Amino acid sequence: MLYAVVMSSPLPPCPQPQEPLDAPRLLDVGPAAPEETNLRADAARNRARLLEAAARLIAEHGVAGVTMEAVATAAQVGKGTVFRRFGDRTGLLTALLDHSAARLQADFMSGPPPLGPGAAPLERLRAFGVAVLYRSAEQLDLQLAAQPEPCRRYSHPASGALRGHVMMLLRQIVPDDDSELLAHTLMAWLDPALIHHLHRQCGMPMERLETGWVDLVARVTRTEPPR
């Protein structure tokens, strides 16, 4: 009876978004002192050296071959250096994905259309999902190994940047809808674990997943899919 009462009650008004409608922007921390700049440059070089070693290990042995000790040996540094830089193996694997994520963010923030500015929001949303789908398919083992624990998965900055971009586009396409919840719905289709299940375990071709994304976008935005 309680369920029936709740389900028959009028829905609450859709919450209004608090975030600006602008595209997500990278943080600007301002200019640093010269000595701090030098320290940052040294740290960046050391970090890049460790990530290059980790990338070589993945190319040679797969994700399973990436351990903190193996990376330290390949980079000819102490294992403690790797732990201080990345915290743990998940932090290291996540850092490996950061460069790819930064390229994707640059593409949808300032790259050519339809992924970047200059195309209609609906076209950009379709292109975004296709780009993420194929990027995930190319990096599935790494993405699965680097996934943070469940309580941190949705708060990770990289996830927030992608979701924020989808929210921004949804606000332009369906301004009266709850763009935040709809963004979560769309991003769930792009989850690496789901792509792994559908593509590798079920054998679905990527073309089918791409068609599924375009269809889902049409249903969520109440628009016609492209012919």
Side-chain angles (χ1 to χ4, degrees), residues 72-208:
T73 300
Q76 299 181 336
V77 299
K79 187 165 65 172
T81 300
V82 187
F83 277 99
R84 284 192 297 272
R85 180 63 56 194
F86 301 107
D88 55 19
R89 183 174 183 269
T90 297
L92 171 63
L93 296 176
T94 301
L96 278 169
L97 288 173
D98 282 350
H99 181 62
S100 174
R103 287 206 313 269
L104 177 63
Q105 186 177 13
D107 287 342
F108 67 67
M109 287 180 65
S110 58
L115 183 57
L122 184 58
E123 293 180 47
R124 296 187 66 194
L125 184 56
R126 292 174 185 145
F128 170 84
V130 172
V132 174
L133 270 175
Y134 282 94
R135 169 178 171 266
S136 295
E138 292 172 357
Q139 305 173 334
L140 265 181
D141 292 335
L142 178 57
Q143 292 214 14
L144 292 175
Q147 278 198 336
E149 58 190 21
C151 62
R152 292 190 302 160
R153 184 173 301 168
Y154 298 104
S155 60
H156 191 275
S159 299
L162 299 183
R163 191 168 57 250
H165 178 65
V166 172
M167 288 170 59
M168 182 269 294
L169 294 175
L170 285 170
R171 288 174 191 155
Q172 299 177 49
I173 303 167
V174 283
D176 296 328
D177 291 354
D178 189 335
S179 60
E180 184 172 6
L181 290 181
L182 291 180
H184 278 286
T185 299
L186 289 174
M187 291 303 299
W189 179 250
L190 304 175
D191 181 69
L194 178 61
I195 297 172
H196 177 270
H197 171 69
L198 296 177
H199 182 51
R200 291 195 180 175
Q201 296 179 330
C202 298
M204 291 186 187
M206 289 301 297
E207 292 79 9
R208 183 177 176 185

